[in-house]
Amino acid sequence: METGKRNYYLEIADNAHILSHRLAENCSRGPFLEEDLACTNVALDLIGLAESVYNEIAKQLEGNISGDDVAYRRDEIDYRNCLLTEQPNDDFAHLMTRQFFMDTYHYYIFTELSVSSDTFLSALANKSLKEVTYHLKRSSEWMIRFGNGTKESSERAQAAINRLWRYTDELFTSDESYSDLIGTGVYPDQDKLKKSWMQKVDEVFFLAQLRKPENKGFQLHGGKSGRHSEHMGYILSEMQFLPNKYPDATW
Amino acid sequence: MKETLLDEATLLAEFEAKIDAEIKIEPRDWMPDAYRKHLIRQISQHAHSEVIGMQPEGNWITRAPSLRSKKILLAKIQDEGGHGLYLYSAAETLGVSRDQYIQWLHEGKAKYASVFNYPTLNWADIGAIGWLVDGAAITNQVSLQRTSYGPYSRAMVRICKEESFHQRQGYEIMWKMMEGTKDQQRMAQDAINRWWWPALMMFGPHDSDSAHTGNAMKWKIKRETNDRLREKFINKTVPQAELIGLKVPDANLKVSGTDSFGEPTYDHSDINWEEFWQVVNGNGPCNEQRLEHHVKAHQDGKWVRECAKAFQNNNDSINR
Ligand SMILES: [Fe+2]
Ligand SMILES: [Fe+2]
């Protein structure tokens, strides 16, 4: 498998995987039972998405490697998820704001990928769009509810936005290993994605009476090239514990 | 005054006639106070058990060793939460709100299944819970499908279908680990060592010591006795353990005969009732932890519930 392609695939898979891991941490901690179950549902959709991509990577890589090997047996520096996905749940406003940013991203990237000349990605995108559309509907409704609910909910949502905004620009950056295929019909144009993403965010923020932070230009990057936040090591040490400790075991 | 008493006697006779005729009691039907109270206690305890039960299994979500096992575990826990929802709905038909039930839980006035006060210490515990705890729950719930209260009976029918799936998945985890490395076999054996007795305790005290069995049997809320259900579970489960090479942690376990289908029945040791009552009364390894977890999630979610309510009210007033 060619490096650029592998990296692009890994970004998609790791984003879904790490985000679902964070959502799964929330299981039995939701604000009420129905919402607890709904978050788990999204986590399940995202694991399924990650799993198909990991399996495809394993198939295309040389050697006897499984999708789980790709998912679990890499060093932190080889995980290519964006910093946003690994940010902690904190309160429900942080969880949902992170989700809203990622759902919007997934919605547009899969819309674009659904017509990609990469047949695996276009099939994946077409399969995932229905789920992702539903995720986006849910998280935008929560943002609007936060903003128009109580003073506290609106303040918490604004605090989450202020905190997480700095990780949003990274979604639209390209690793140089695949940048030559960006905008060619294989991988979508990042500027176009960013524009669609921003429009949707603006629209929802308007309805929610929420706003971008004052210093919206302050942005952090690194996840896509394996330079993560301090949170990532803890995520992986839990996630990889059994495969690391018992490398010969199957479960 | 006399007239009311007379009415009450007639109503009770009608109620009991229905029970005798296996006609389900529905929310709008007249029912004796003690029947309602018994159901309020039992169904809410059942609902709380489903929800608190999410915690010991949830303890391993972030450490599930493969994508497949993580998906299965998440979906299983989600099912349990769903069971909680059906049961809270059934319990609400008795005229008490879910908020009130949760408040009683937090105040220690309502209980949940004691088995969830034991910790999950290795991955095989996820297998052992599915196999033994869900297995014990099914044995009980299959008989509750015929319970006399309509909403409870219908919830049980839905729930039983999913529980037997959980039991098979749990057994599959154990089976795979017993086929695996020495370390995995050790984990599996450790898990059954710790979960066997708590699973048997799930059936409750001996019928002779059970405060609630008498009325509950008379009104057909319960359809089989604690001891009878426990025997059924043991007879079903011991051969499953032996099949995959697990040793049941009971030195006195031995075949005592065969049942009407020719399947073996067993003699076994008695439960450690001292431990049983300690855990029921709050002194298990995780009682405080489980309740504190639930209370914290509920308190952390307060602003979210208030937000949703305020938003709904605003919308309602705009649309009006
Ligand atoms: Fe259940
Ligand atoms: Fe279950």
Side-chain angles (χ1 to χ4, degrees):
Chain A
M1 191 179 198
E2 184 259 320
T3 311
K5 186 179 187 183
R6 190 198 61 203
N7 287 345
Y8 195 83
Y9 278 39
L10 278 176
E11 265 178 33
I12 294 175
D14 290 342
N15 275 337
H17 189 194
I18 301 300
L19 184 62
S20 86
H21 190 87
R22 280 301 195 206
L23 278 174
E25 286 175 352
N26 187 61
C27 183
S28 83
R29 293 178 172 83
F32 48 95
L33 199 43
E34 288 85 345
E35 186 54 40
D36 198 310
L37 303 184
C39 280
T40 303
N41 234 359
V42 178
L44 276 166
D45 287 345
L46 291 171
I47 298 186
L49 173 64
E51 192 180 27
S52 354
V53 185
Y54 287 135
N55 286 342
E56 181 64 19
I57 295 171
K59 209 169 91 188
Q60 293 196 22
L61 282 174
E62 318 234 316
N64 191 15
I65 295 175
S66 71
D68 274 346
D69 292 336
V70 183
Y72 286 84
R73 301 192 190 196
R74 280 178 289 148
D75 289 330
E76 178 173 326
I77 199 173
D78 297 322
Y79 280 82
R80 306 189 74 86
N81 55 289
C82 296
L83 297 173
L84 177 61
T85 59
E86 67 203 48
Q87 296 312 305
N89 293 339
D90 199 340
D91 66 0
F92 189 68
H94 277 72
L95 180 150
M96 199 48 76
T97 302
R98 183 186 64 205
Q99 197 59 39
F100 169 61
F101 289 159
M102 283 306 294
D103 290 343
T104 309
Y105 174 69
H106 278 148
Y107 177 77
Y108 288 109
I109 193 173
F110 288 135
T111 302
E112 293 290 320
L113 282 174
S114 67
V115 294
S116 164
S117 60
D118 180 310
T119 50
F120 171 78
L121 289 181
S122 68
L124 176 86
N126 279 303
K127 203 176 117 238
S128 308
L129 260 175
K130 201 176 141 201
E131 287 171 3
V132 166
T133 306
Y134 176 68
H135 300 170
L136 176 56
K137 178 174 182 291
R138 245 178 55 80
S139 56
S140 4
E141 281 171 2
W142 266 118
M143 295 308 289
I144 293 166
R145 241 176 255 144
F146 290 154
N148 301 290
T150 62
K151 183 161 174 288
E152 181 177 6
S153 67
S154 156
E155 283 170 2
R156 282 178 182 265
Q158 190 59 55
I161 293 167
N162 295 350
R163 180 72 195 199
L164 295 172
W165 187 261
R166 66 194 66 174
Y167 304 110
T168 54
D169 188 62
E170 186 186 12
L171 296 168
F172 311 102
T173 58
S174 301
D175 189 74
E176 59 183 28
S177 61
Y178 57 72
S179 56
D180 53 329
L181 290 180
I182 291 287
T184 62
V186 185
Y187 308 136
D189 183 88
Q190 303 278 28
D191 294 333
K192 187 179 170 199
L193 270 185
K194 185 173 177 175
K195 211 174 138 202
S196 310
W197 185 91
M198 203 64 84
Q199 260 171 12
K200 181 71 186 175
V201 169
D202 282 339
E203 177 198 319
V204 171
F205 279 11
F206 174 76
L207 293 171
Q209 308 184 62
L210 294 164
R211 42 189 201 284
K212 295 169 193 165
E214 305 268 312
N215 61 340
K216 59 179 185 286
F218 171 51
Q219 290 292 330
L220 294 167
H221 303 93
K224 283 188 176 182
S225 54
R227 194 173 289 180
H228 292 279
S229 60
E230 286 185 349
H231 305 298
M232 189 66 177
Y234 292 93
I235 292 178
L236 292 181
S237 56
E238 282 187 35
M239 182 194 284
Q240 296 181 334
F241 156 61
L242 286 169
N244 274 347
K245 183 89 199 315
Y246 308 101
D248 301 327
T250 51
W251 305 90
Chain B
M1 197 65 204
K2 224 175 189 166
E3 222 175 72
T4 339
L5 279 176
L6 198 71
D7 278 350
E8 188 116 334
T10 318
L11 288 165
L12 182 62
E14 281 173 7
F15 169 83
E16 286 181 340
K18 271 192 208 154
I19 299 273
D20 287 343
E22 297 287 337
I23 297 169
K24 298 281 179 242
I25 307 300
E26 295 300 333
R28 285 158 189 270
D29 295 347
W30 183 89
M31 59 186 88
D33 251 8
Y35 179 83
R36 184 185 298 274
K37 277 201 184 113
H38 188 104
L39 285 170
I40 285 175
R41 188 184 57 77
Q42 181 169 337
I43 304 176
S44 69
Q45 176 170 333
H46 198 157
H48 297 325
S49 302
E50 300 283 357
V51 173
I52 298 289
M54 296 167 79
Q55 291 179 38
E57 295 185 281
N59 184 37
W60 279 87
I61 290 175
T62 59
R63 291 174 292 173
S66 66
L67 293 170
R68 178 173 178 270
S69 63
K70 194 172 183 178
K71 279 197 304 190
I72 292 175
L73 178 57
L74 266 176
K76 199 252 186 199
I77 298 173
Q78 192 188 30
D79 285 348
E80 305 303 1
H83 299 169
L85 278 182
Y86 308 156
L87 285 162
Y88 282 126
S89 305
E92 284 190 313
T93 63
L94 295 159
V96 180
S97 70
R98 200 205 302 183
D99 284 344
Q100 177 65 68
Y101 283 123
I102 291 175
Q103 195 187 324
W104 283 336
L105 174 69
H106 291 177
E107 290 167 355
K109 290 177 186 156
K111 290 201 187 315
Y112 55 86
S114 268
V115 73
F116 298 121
N117 291 316
Y118 289 87
T120 49
L121 303 180
N122 81 55
W123 173 253
D125 288 34
I126 299 309
I129 289 185
W131 173 40
L132 301 173
V133 175
D134 287 60
I138 296 165
T139 311
N140 188 27
Q141 288 167 1
V142 162
S143 80
L144 283 176
Q145 293 180 90
R146 296 183 297 124
T147 191
S148 58
Y149 188 56
Y152 193 29
S153 160
R154 289 187 289 273
M156 279 300 122
V157 173
R158 276 175 88 177
I159 288 173
C160 274
K161 283 189 197 133
E162 289 176 358
E163 297 295 12
S164 51
F165 198 57
H166 297 164
Q167 202 232 356
R168 263 175 292 161
Q169 286 171 334
Y171 188 60
E172 190 204 291
I173 291 178
M174 298 305 269
W175 168 73
K176 264 193 171 169
M177 290 183 76
M178 289 307 286
E179 297 253 286
T181 64
K182 283 268 172 297
D183 289 322
Q184 285 176 296
Q185 292 169 6
R186 188 174 174 218
M187 287 181 219
Q189 184 59 52
D190 175 47
I192 189 178
N193 289 350
R194 285 180 288 103
W195 288 98
W196 177 256
W197 290 106
L200 295 191
M201 291 178 195
M202 285 172 70
F203 297 97
H206 286 313
D207 301 304
S208 48
D209 306 327
S210 176
H212 305 291
T213 296
N215 267 345
M217 292 294 284
K218 187 179 85 187
W219 287 328
K220 296 185 181 170
I221 297 174
K222 271 178 83 88
R223 304 301 310 244
E224 289 195 77
T225 65
N226 295 349
D227 288 324
R228 176 70 197 114
L229 289 167
R230 185 158 30 232
E231 295 305 318
K232 271 192 180 175
F233 174 74
I234 291 171
N235 295 345
K236 182 179 75 175
T237 311
V238 171
Q240 294 174 350
E242 287 171 349
L243 185 67
I244 57 175
L246 283 167
K247 199 177 162 335
V248 175
D250 179 353
N252 297 317
L253 189 80
K254 62 169 197 292
V255 176
S256 63
T258 50
D259 64 13
S260 52
F261 301 99
E263 303 290 339
T265 57
Y266 296 87
D267 282 336
H268 55 86
S269 312
D270 200 8
I271 283 169
N272 178 346
W273 294 111
E274 162 66 16
E275 177 182 331
F276 175 90
W277 288 114
Q278 284 290 344
V279 182
V280 167
N281 292 320
N283 302 320
C286 302
N287 295 57
E288 282 165 349
Q289 182 185 331
R290 300 290 184 242
L291 199 57
E292 280 164 9
H293 178 118
H294 196 274
V295 169
K296 180 174 191 306
H298 194 70
Q299 281 171 355
D300 288 349
K302 185 163 178 267
W303 71 266
V304 184
R305 296 190 299 276
E306 283 170 358
C307 156
K309 205 177 192 179
F311 183 74
Q312 185 67 46
N313 290 345
N314 288 344
N315 264 13
D316 288 351
S317 61
I318 289 167
N319 294 337
R320 209 171 288 138

